[in-house]
Amino acid sequence: MIPTKEEWNKALCRRHGEELQQKFSSATVAICGLGGLGSNIAMALARAGIGRLILIDFDKVELTNLHRQQYKASQIGRNKTEALAENLEEVAPFTELECHTVRLTEENAAHLLQEADVICEAFDKAEEKAMLVGIVLEAMPEKYLVAASGMAGLGSANTIRTRRVAKRFYLCGDGASDVSEAGSLVASRVMLCAAHQAHTVLRILAKQFETE
Amino acid sequence: MVKINGKDVDAAGRTVADYLQGTSYDPRRIAVERNGDIIPRAQYGETVLQDGDCVEVVSFVGGG
């Protein structure tokens, strides 16, 4: 039986403390791209009791996604937004979800990201990562941005790290391993990077900022 | 001198676009931060690096 919202909140408060949970449950976090990074970030944040998640991706679930992304074999062919929303609702039924099945562009970004306190860049292509970082930091200087670069291959787990590049700009990953050169992406290393991003979001909401 | 990605570079007086032209960075894959702020891409050509500036060129790689 699914617990009531009150029981759910009580459990979260017991684990996180009331003050911290209040910060999590009043936050809105946007996740741009729902692949290996985004789907895992969403799962961690929904479990942490983030109040509202804005999920943005134009793509559909493919067989080649399942080795690292939070989808099921039965969801192949479905929109990633809808499939992920379904999976998140099973895990954390009281996190509010806002789905946008569109490609994020310079034209629609301001509108889609308007209500986000923190924005996660979780795209696949380097050019799209750079584009989103540019849009957010130039046009939305009041928002926090958590981006990722470098999580391909089988390199050491210990090289994945989080850096504060600018006041409101955090970057996770090893900064170097390109999928086109490494030739692979494995769930464990992609999830490490996604966990760094999700953890950075929680630390920003708790106002525990990295010093470097 | 300008500190770029931790190294002292003799780039004071040059624009960001001019500096980038002499490097192997792909301008579509980078973000440039100076003294804590991101320099908008459209301003690379008019932003002149000053002596003592601290610059980081963040170069993105694919995968996610």
Side-chain angles (χ1 to χ4, degrees):
Chain A
M1 201 179 76
I2 294 174
T4 64
K5 191 170 184 182
E6 287 65 36
E7 290 170 322
W8 198 270
N9 285 337
K10 217 170 136 194
L12 285 169
C13 286
R14 203 179 316 146
R15 283 290 174 244
H16 298 154
E18 226 165 281
E19 198 188 326
L20 196 55
Q21 189 50 46
Q22 175 54 35
K23 289 174 180 162
F24 293 171
S25 60
S26 60
T28 298
V29 179
I31 304 174
C32 306
L34 303 176
L37 294 171
S39 64
N40 283 301
I41 294 168
M43 201 49 92
L45 293 181
R47 284 191 193 277
I50 296 297
R52 182 154 167 250
L53 295 177
I54 301 172
L55 307 173
I56 307 168
D57 200 312
F58 64 91
D59 222 350
K60 289 184 162 52
V61 178
E62 293 178 28
L63 174 56
T64 53
N65 300 151
L66 298 184
H67 73 115
R68 72 184 194 284
Q69 305 184 13
Q70 292 285 353
Y71 302 102
K72 303 170 189 173
S74 62
Q75 293 176 320
I76 291 172
R78 305 259 315 273
N79 286 330
K80 284 189 174 178
T81 45
E82 290 158 26
L84 186 60
E86 204 171 274
N87 298 344
L88 293 172
E89 273 161 15
E90 282 180 34
V91 169
F94 302 108
T95 288
E96 196 187 321
L97 304 173
E98 183 185 314
C99 294
H100 297 279
T101 309
V102 291
R103 186 186 283 275
L104 192 76
T105 63
E106 292 190 37
E107 288 70 41
N108 65 16
H111 172 67
L112 293 174
L113 303 174
Q114 199 175 3
E115 286 173 33
D117 302 303
V118 185
I119 297 163
C120 293
E121 176 283 310
F123 290 145
D124 191 33
K125 294 191 177 71
E127 290 81 0
E128 290 183 359
K129 290 171 179 290
M131 176 205 75
L132 182 61
V133 169
I135 293 174
V136 172
L137 296 174
E138 288 168 31
M140 300 166 230
E142 77 289 358
K143 297 193 191 295
Y144 286 92
L145 174 67
V146 184
S149 180
M151 77 301 296
L154 267 181
S156 168
N158 296 333
T159 56
I160 304 278
R161 53 193 286 263
T162 301
R163 284 193 309 129
R164 187 181 195 178
V165 179
K167 256 170 287 180
R168 290 170 179 261
F169 174 31
Y170 292 76
L171 186 63
C172 305
D174 66 20
S177 59
D178 194 314
V179 67
S180 64
E181 288 159 28
S184 63
L185 279 170
V186 294
S188 44
R189 204 156 189 270
V190 175
M191 286 168 84
L192 276 165
C193 192
H196 267 261
Q197 288 184 274
H199 194 64
T200 298
V201 171
L202 298 184
R203 281 173 56 81
I204 288 169
L205 295 176
K207 303 213 180 314
Q208 292 179 20
F209 301 112
E210 305 293 329
T211 50
E212 61 179 35
Chain B
M1 280 294 164
V2 179
K3 203 172 260 310
I4 302 180
N5 288 19
K7 286 184 191 146
D8 284 324
V9 180
D10 188 13
R14 294 170 66 188
T15 65
V16 174
D18 185 39
Y19 165 73
L20 289 172
Q21 215 152 38
T23 68
S24 59
Y25 289 116
D26 178 346
R28 295 167 308 145
R29 292 179 160 218
I30 59 169
V32 182
E33 172 263 333
R34 180 175 65 160
N35 306 330
D37 294 311
I38 293 293
I39 303 175
R41 195 176 298 246
Q43 288 171 23
Y44 288 175
E46 63 208 54
T47 304
V48 179
L49 297 169
Q50 309 288 333
D51 197 36
D53 274 355
C54 192
V55 173
E56 181 170 351
V57 182
V58 179
S59 185
F60 291 92
V61 295

